[in-house]
Amino acid sequence: MTDHYDAAIIGAGQAGGPLATALAKSGWHVALIEREHVGGTCVNVGCTPTKTMVASARVAYLVQRAGDYGIYTGPVGIDMAQVRQRKRDIVTTFRSGSRHGIETTEGVALIMGEAHFAKHDSNAADFALTIRLNDGGDSTITANQVFLNTGARPHIPAIPGLSDVSYLDSTTIMELDHVPQHLIILGGGYIGLEFGQMFRRFGSQVTIIQRGDQLLSREDPDVAEAVAQILQEDGIEVLLHAEVQHVNTSGDGRVQIKVGMSGMEQTLVGSHLLVATGRVPNTDALNLDAVGMKTDHKGFIQVNEKLETDVPGIYALGDVKGGPAFTHISYDDFRIVRANLLQNGHDHTTGRIVPYTVFIDPQLGRVGLSEQDARAQGYSVRVAKLPMSHVARAIEVDETRGFMKAVVDSDTQQILGCAILGIEGGEIATMLQIAMMGKIPYTAIRDSAFSHPTLGESLNNLFMTLDD
């Protein structure tokens, strides 16, 4: 007998898990198939563990700066095994809570294994899935609708010699039980920067290699330059316009990286290598050809504004569909599908405001359009900018690095986007996101009374710069 379900969800990430329970509570019979960990990338190898370790690194940083506040302590020691255990404990708590919620929801069958499509008859009313079960054997199920939430994994570039050396990725680096002597990082995106600053604060020498002309390639140049300056102040070496040509292991076991820069070659030697060059979708094991589904040239599944694929009855949610790879976007994908399937809604992704925070210290909080994107889209732009050294609260806590920047439509006075590089930048950016959602003109924020002395109060002064 083949079990039949109203819906099969492949991947128990931040869209798949909530969708399974929501459908089941509405009377659907749901199969939720997960090959590794309930909770997806975020809970297991992404947001939760990395931000837990970032917090440990910030404590180390503050202890090292204690004298700046008139506080004196003894030598600072880093116990990476304890840092790792703290991370593991929090991940286990989050993962266990998510799994418990799924397993106790009537109507959801949690199946641990890897699923792929079986050959599909276009005249059939359902889809067949074969599941290689984690505890052995195969199982076949059918479902009227299928939801793909299989996420992504670290991209490993085709660099000569890389496959012959021992390297770390964004998952394995969090399992180190010691502080690397010299960590070399390939990639200047948010993953590389967060780990770079983290391990610098733990005591590693750190070098970041970026092939482009700036870190964080999608940000405005002034933002990227300020981020690079902050990292360099922290003692991190940043190499731009650097192309990795070859990787090998030296006689003493260290990693050697040959880099081309401005027509010249340089060889870097480090104790550890972190590859942080983006992520690729987990679509290769799904056997999408069986249902006639196409992907783009990078393997991402294409969807419309309602997250429907080109095969009726199949949806894709989260990182596997490309676009912004953030937990909150995955969850919003779930919200859209839930609204449309269960609440007679007409929700869509068109015009969705995309916020995110890069958890370096100080944080980079971003929402909406950057300055260069706003100009490229033809807006008449005004830019408000305020250094954090002019923010009273930042001065009081001695965290004055960075700046606040907002992009305004000069015709409508609406806020188009912001970049807040400063202490709690993500929280301040959220304030501006709420203003954007409510279509509040920048003048209303400029003229509002906010509690003193808070970081939010600085938005008065930020927008007053447009009056100068």
Side-chain angles (χ1 to χ4, degrees):
M1 296 290 292
T2 298
D3 290 329
H4 179 75
Y5 296 87
D6 298 311
I9 302 171
I10 306 178
Q14 295 302 300
L19 181 60
T21 56
L23 293 176
K25 289 176 181 178
S26 294
W28 293 42
H29 188 35
V30 181
L32 177 59
I33 307 153
E34 171 55 49
R35 69 177 183 179
E36 191 170 7
H37 298 305
V38 169
T41 295
C42 175
V43 167
N44 296 285
V45 296
C47 312
T48 298
T50 57
K51 279 48 180 182
T52 298
M53 295 181 70
V54 163
S56 294
R58 176 160 171 79
V59 171
Y61 169 71
L62 289 175
V63 173
Q64 292 160 6
R65 286 192 60 207
D68 295 343
Y69 300 88
I71 308 299
Y72 296 93
T73 65
V76 178
I78 305 296
D79 185 340
M80 280 303 299
Q82 187 171 344
V83 170
R84 181 182 65 182
Q85 189 59 49
R86 176 176 176 270
K87 178 266 299 184
R88 287 176 174 177
D89 290 345
I90 293 176
V91 167
T92 298
T93 298
F94 280 33
R95 179 196 302 153
S96 299
S98 297
R99 182 161 183 163
H100 177 76
I102 290 168
E103 291 180 329
T104 56
T105 299
E106 185 177 356
V108 178
L110 177 61
I111 305 172
M112 299 303 295
E114 185 169 56
H116 66 267
F117 285 102
K119 184 65 177 178
H120 179 63
D121 182 348
S122 60
N123 295 318
D126 51 34
F127 300 93
L129 294 169
T130 299
I131 306 168
R132 182 178 296 119
L133 301 172
N134 288 355
D135 56 5
D138 291 338
S139 176
T140 300
I141 67 170
T142 58
N144 297 111
Q145 297 188 66
V146 178
F147 302 85
L148 304 175
N149 183 221
T150 51
R153 64 185 184 275
H155 167 250
I156 307 302
I159 297 174
L162 182 60
S163 60
D164 298 324
V165 305
S166 178
Y167 61 84
L168 301 163
D169 61 25
S170 58
T171 298
T172 58
I173 192 171
M174 291 188 289
E175 287 301 306
L176 290 177
D177 62 0
H178 60 281
V179 176
Q181 179 185 13
H182 183 186
L183 176 63
I184 299 177
I185 300 174
L186 305 187
Y190 67 90
I191 294 175
L193 302 194
E194 288 181 5
F195 280 118
Q197 189 183 55
M198 177 197 303
F199 278 93
R200 177 61 187 151
R201 291 180 167 185
F202 287 147
S204 299
Q205 179 183 347
V206 176
T207 300
I208 296 176
I209 300 173
Q210 170 73 330
R211 65 184 299 180
D213 58 0
Q214 67 175 50
L215 301 175
L216 301 172
S217 59
R218 297 180 181 178
E219 304 299 336
D220 286 330
D222 58 342
V223 174
E225 183 179 350
V227 168
Q229 181 180 346
I230 287 169
L231 297 178
Q232 289 164 342
E233 288 173 357
D234 286 353
I236 296 173
E237 182 181 24
V238 177
L239 303 180
L240 302 177
H241 303 285
E243 188 77 29
V244 177
Q245 300 173 343
H246 190 270
V247 179
N248 65 280
T249 303
S250 65
D252 59 1
R254 294 186 296 172
V255 62
Q256 294 185 148
I257 303 174
K258 183 181 291 185
V259 179
M261 296 177 59
S262 303
M264 301 180 64
E265 290 186 352
Q266 177 180 353
T267 298
L268 306 175
V269 180
S271 61
H272 295 70
L273 173 64
L274 169 62
V275 178
T277 53
R279 296 176 69 81
V280 294
N282 292 322
T283 52
D284 42 342
L286 290 172
N287 191 27
L288 297 176
D289 289 343
V291 292
M293 185 180 298
K294 305 298 183 182
T295 63
D296 69 8
H297 67 286
K298 293 183 178 180
F300 290 103
I301 296 172
Q302 303 297 283
V303 297
N304 62 17
E305 72 280 359
K306 292 187 177 181
L307 303 170
E308 301 164 324
T309 70
D310 56 1
V311 179
I314 302 179
Y315 296 73
L317 305 87
D319 299 355
V320 74
K321 72 182 189 311
F326 303 117
T327 296
H328 45 282
I329 296 301
S330 293
Y331 189 82
D332 194 56
D333 287 350
F334 146 69
R335 184 197 58 76
I336 290 170
V337 171
R338 178 188 61 185
N340 294 340
L341 290 181
L342 303 180
Q343 300 167 355
N344 297 316
H346 300 282
D347 287 14
H348 50 78
T349 61
T350 304
R352 175 164 61 182
I353 297 176
V354 178
Y356 57 92
T357 300
V358 182
F359 284 87
I360 53 174
D361 185 16
Q363 296 172 7
L364 172 59
R366 282 277 288 107
V367 63
L369 298 178
S370 66
E371 178 185 355
Q372 55 189 1
D373 287 343
R375 294 189 188 280
Q377 292 184 26
Y379 285 97
S380 176
V381 168
R382 300 181 69 192
V383 177
K385 197 168 181 179
L386 183 73
M388 294 302 293
S389 58
H390 291 189
V391 175
R393 182 62 179 166
I395 296 170
E396 291 160 0
V397 298
D398 201 8
E399 296 280 1
T400 57
R401 298 195 293 180
F403 59 79
M404 308 172 69
K405 178 180 180 180
V407 181
V408 171
D409 184 338
S410 59
D411 296 328
T412 65
Q413 299 185 340
Q414 293 292 308
I415 302 166
L416 300 175
C418 71
I420 311 296
L421 177 61
I423 179 175
E424 299 296 348
E427 306 294 341
I428 303 172
T430 299
M431 292 180 65
L432 292 182
Q433 178 185 352
I434 294 171
M436 294 167 63
M437 293 166 61
K439 300 189 181 303
I440 298 173
Y442 84 87
T443 51
I445 299 176
R446 178 197 64 191
D447 299 334
S448 292
F450 297 110
S451 177
H452 174 78
T454 62
L455 293 168
E457 177 194 34
S458 60
L459 295 175
N460 291 145
N461 292 336
L462 171 65
F463 288 113
M464 283 180 185
T465 64
L466 294 179
D467 297 333
D468 295 340

